[in-house]
Amino acid sequence: MTPLASLPASAASARYELDPVHTRVLFAVSHAGYSQALGTVSGSQGTLEFDPEDWSSARLEVSVPLQRVDLGDEHWNRATLARNLLDAERWPEARFVSTRVEPLAADRFIVHGQLTLRGVTREVPLEVKLNSLRRHPMPPFRRTAGFSAHARLSRAAFGIDAWPNVIGDEVELRIEAEAVRARGGGDASDDVDTVPEADPGDDVESSPGEAMPAPAPPGPATQPAARPAATATERQEPDQP
C-alpha cells in the first residue's frame, strides 16, 4: 500500500488535515434484534488531498483510534474492545486508505478504499457528500471542507465473529468530518491567521475583529445644545445619594 506522501499531487490539488475534534465515526449494529446499538469513535486523524474541480484525483488516508470507542456504558466499552471483538490492545487503530474516487455529482462521490481493522484489510466504499468548502468564519479563519459519509460492512469479514446470536453481522457507519487546509498545502493566500477578505460564498457580513469605519462627526444641525452654567444655588446643593 503506497502512502499518500509518496504519491504525486495534482497541480491544482490542495492538502487538508482532518480536524479530530469535529470528525466522528458513528456505528450501528443489531443488538439481538431488539434495537440498533449505537457507538461513536472520536479523535480520528488523517490527510485529504483533492482538487474541487476534479474529485477523481482525490486521495484520503485516515486513522481511527479504537480505544476511544464509546457506547455510553463502561461495561459495553470494555466488552467491545476485548480480544474476541475489536482486540484493541493488539490492534489499537483502524485505517482507511483510498484507492480511487468515483464522482457522482459536483458534491457527491464514492470513495473506494482499503479498510484495515483487527489486522484484516478489505475493500470498503464510502458514499460521501461534500457539505461545504469555504474559509471558516471562526479563528484561525482557514479554508475548511465538511463532509458526511455512509458505509456498510460485515464484521465477520474482518474476523470479528463472536456472539453471532447477540451481535448482528452488518455494521452501518456514519461519518461526519471536517478537514482544514494545511499550511503550505495550497494557495499561500490561505496560510494566514489574520482576518481575511470574505470569500464570495461566505455567509457572514463581516469577519470577527474586522475594523468598522469611524462614525462621521455630527453636522451643525445635530450639534447638541450647550448646557447652561449652573447657578450658585445649584453648585451648593449636595450630590444625590
Side-chain angles (χ1 to χ4, degrees):
M1 187 177 300
T2 305
L4 285 178
S6 64
L7 293 174
S10 168
S13 68
R15 185 167 60 88
Y16 289 71
E17 295 174 349
L18 283 183
D19 177 353
V21 176
H22 296 103
T23 297
R24 182 161 293 192
V25 179
L26 180 145
F27 59 89
V29 62
S30 173
H31 177 232
Y34 294 109
S35 65
Q36 292 290 305
L38 302 177
T40 62
V41 187
S42 58
S44 296
Q45 296 183 333
T47 303
L48 170 65
E49 291 184 8
F50 69 92
D51 173 2
E53 301 299 325
D54 180 15
W55 284 101
S56 65
S57 64
R59 297 188 297 275
L60 171 67
E61 184 172 334
V62 182
S63 63
V64 182
L66 298 180
Q67 294 285 357
R68 299 189 65 168
V69 162
D70 183 11
L71 290 102
D73 178 83
E74 286 299 323
H75 176 73
W76 272 36
N77 292 348
R78 289 194 299 272
T80 302
L81 297 173
R83 191 180 184 91
N84 64 337
L85 290 176
L86 290 179
D87 197 2
E89 184 174 347
R90 289 197 301 166
W91 308 102
E93 68 176 22
R95 293 185 65 82
F96 180 85
V97 179
S98 66
T99 54
R100 65 186 178 92
V101 177
E102 178 185 347
L104 302 178
D107 61 346
R108 293 179 183 273
F109 28 88
I110 298 178
V111 179
H112 299 268
Q114 298 285 321
L115 174 64
T116 301
L117 177 63
R118 205 174 184 266
V120 178
T121 300
R122 294 284 185 268
E123 180 85 11
V124 173
L126 298 178
E127 299 179 15
V128 181
K129 179 182 182 298
L130 172 65
N131 298 320
S132 182
L133 174 59
R134 60 186 175 91
R135 187 175 283 113
H136 201 286
M138 298 294 291
F141 306 104
R142 302 195 66 77
R143 189 172 297 279
T144 300
F147 303 90
S148 297
H150 295 83
R152 295 179 184 273
L153 57 86
S154 162
R155 69 183 183 97
F158 293 88
I160 309 172
D161 54 7
W163 300 98
N165 295 327
V166 178
I167 306 173
D169 180 59
E170 182 179 81
V171 179
E172 180 182 358
L173 299 178
R174 174 181 171 181
I175 302 162
E176 296 294 329
E178 294 184 16
V180 181
R181 192 167 194 158
R183 293 187 179 279
D187 185 353
S189 64
D190 276 347
D191 294 335
V192 293
D193 286 325
T194 56
V195 179
E197 294 182 2
D199 278 352
D202 283 351
D203 56 1
V204 292
E205 294 182 359
S206 61
S207 300
E210 184 177 355
M212 299 298 291
T222 60
Q223 289 284 357
R227 186 175 184 272
T231 63
T233 303
E234 290 174 333
R235 287 195 297 267
Q236 293 173 0
E237 289 181 352
D239 292 337
Q240 294 296 321

